[in-house]
Amino acid sequence: MKLRIFMLFGMITLAIGLCACDYSGNYGDTSVDIQLQTNSNGWDIHGNIDVNGGGNAVTITKSPTLRTTTARSTTVRTTTARTTTAKTTTQATTTPEQTTLSTTTSSTTTTEATTTLEGETTTATVTTTTETATTTLYTTTTALQKDVPGHAASIVKLVNNFRYDSDLNKLLSSSDLNTVANVRSNELSVKYDEIRPQGTLDELIIENNVSCTYVGELILKDINNPDKAFEEWLNTPEALVVVKDEKFKKIGASSVLIDDVYYWSIVFTD
């Protein structure tokens, strides 16, 4: 008997596996009548098993299937990039009393934030300009100091005598080049250098209506007479090359005294 009932339950299970709706059959003195009903929540089995004429009701119910949902975490990634750019601007300001050359430095900072959320990227950029500083490079009076009397003429004479002794052509004294040399000797009191505090020597030449294609200059300070100044130049190889240059045809010279210091300039052109 137990074996038969076990076999019947096996048939019931098979019916369920095959999604059978009804099942009937006889096994010797045992009759089986099974109905399978399904619904949205599972299924039910109802039936009778009759063994030796004794009815036995059978009910099997399948529980609803439970579904588990796993929450997916969201990853947010933020990347920030910062770039700083420094910019320097040079500006010259001229008044009747003085000329001021200054530099203005400003620092520009750009902050870029990139955020990635669920595969979508958003970028925000913020630009800020800060840290502005102005530095005065130099201040000089607009009114130029006049030449020390006799110094310019003495320098021109010394140069031409040397060139004559060297079998070179004499140079023609130019009033326009004397003006250029005077500007340069005044500038040397502010910045003692072959590079002008503002502008270039070529620009100064053009401003004073001098037409040329070849320019040379000699500068000096701290010596108070033309002979010693010229001797100092002759003892400098670079200066000697300029004095003996055959391309030059004109000359201008200047010597000024500013704050007890002598500043010298000679300008040559073709």
Side-chain angles (χ1 to χ4, degrees), residues 158 220 223 225-236:
L158 289 167
L220 193 65
I223 296 179
N225 74 74
D227 292 309
K228 290 183 179 179
F230 189 63
E231 182 180 356
E232 182 70 22
W233 278 316
L234 293 182
N235 290 329
T236 305

Side-chain angles (χ1 to χ4, degrees), residues 207-221:
E207 290 171 4
N208 286 275
N209 303 314
V210 176
S211 179
C212 65
T213 58
Y214 195 62
V215 182
E217 181 187 32
L218 298 178
I219 62 174
L220 193 65
K221 73 173 184 176

Side-chain angles (χ1 to χ4, degrees), residues 43-146:
W43 42 258
D44 299 317
I45 297 175
H46 302 279
N48 294 289
I49 301 175
D50 187 3
V51 181
N52 294 325
N56 294 281
V58 177
T59 300
I60 302 175
T61 302
K62 179 182 182 298
S63 299
T65 301
L66 297 179
R67 296 183 179 180
T68 303
T69 302
T70 302
R72 184 176 59 181
S73 61
T74 300
T75 301
V76 179
R77 295 181 180 178
T78 302
T79 303
T80 303
R82 178 170 296 175
T83 304
T84 302
T85 304
K87 180 181 179 181
T88 301
T89 303
T90 302
Q91 181 178 7
T93 304
T94 302
T95 66
E97 294 78 21
Q98 65 183 23
T99 297
T100 301
L101 185 67
S102 61
T103 60
T104 301
T105 302
S106 61
S107 178
T108 301
T109 301
T110 301
T111 302
E112 183 177 279
T114 301
T115 302
T116 302
L117 175 61
E118 290 294 332
E120 296 184 2
T121 301
T122 303
T123 301
T125 302
V126 179
T127 302
T128 306
T129 301
T130 56
E131 301 176 10
T132 300
T134 300
T135 304
T136 299
L137 298 182
Y138 80 94
T139 300
T140 182
T141 57
T142 302
L144 299 176
Q145 294 293 319
K146 294 182 178 180

